[in-house]
Amino acid sequence: MKKTMLTGKLHQARITHAELNYEGSCAIDQDLLDQSGILEYEKIEIYNIETGGRFSTYAISGERGSKIISVNGAAARMAAVGDRVIICAYASLSAEEITQHKPSLVYLDADNNIVRTSKAVPMQVA
């Protein structure tokens, strides 16, 4: 049996561009892709913290060091410049792979600078 597991996450990224008349996708600074382990052309899920909207697209490489997070094409209708989003990638893993798996979590500030990284989501307490 395989289960779908989180592999990479950019937490509280800020949308820097929304390009309606661009071929669809989400351009992400290559440094952020590298840190999160998200690959160019990989399917991603985007969760808009401001609106509660959720949508999927694929990642494309943005200029290294630019801090760009650009929603393009139809996705430009799903998030506006300045919106905080969570960008996640997932993979289907076997039970054996899951025992060794740790996601790459990247936490960002309001300017898309990396604040910290982690391999585990903190436990939520009551």
Side-chain angles (χ1 to χ4, degrees):
M1 175 183 0
K2 293 196 173 234
K3 293 194 177 258
T4 303
M5 304 295 290
L6 177 69
T7 57
K9 176 172 91 165
L10 295 169
H11 191 73
Q12 294 212 17
R14 294 277 179 160
I15 300 297
T16 61
H17 298 76
E19 304 289 342
L20 184 61
N21 295 314
Y22 184 87
E23 186 174 339
S25 58
C26 180
I28 301 170
D29 179 327
Q30 185 62 52
D31 288 337
L32 299 177
L33 289 175
D34 292 347
Q35 195 69 41
S36 66
I38 297 171
L39 302 175
E40 186 169 33
Y41 307 117
E42 183 172 5
K43 180 180 179 179
I44 54 175
E45 300 288 330
I46 301 179
Y47 313 127
N48 189 325
I49 296 168
E50 310 303 334
T51 67
R54 294 172 169 240
F55 59 98
S56 60
T57 187
Y58 61 94
I60 60 172
S61 180
E63 180 182 1
R64 193 175 288 282
S66 66
K67 312 298 185 208
I68 190 172
I69 305 287
S70 180
V71 287
N72 301 320
R77 300 259 190 224
M78 304 299 289
V81 172
D83 282 359
R84 294 174 300 145
V85 296
I86 300 168
I87 301 171
C88 295
Y90 300 88
S92 293
L93 303 178
S94 68
E96 183 177 303
E97 290 170 315
I98 288 170
T99 64
Q100 304 299 317
H101 175 69
K102 299 287 183 202
S104 295
L105 312 174
V106 180
Y107 298 85
L108 304 173
D109 68 12
D111 296 314
N112 291 336
N113 295 304
I114 297 172
V115 174
R116 68 182 174 90
T117 62
S118 180
K119 293 289 188 182
V121 174
M123 179 183 289
Q124 185 171 344
V125 296

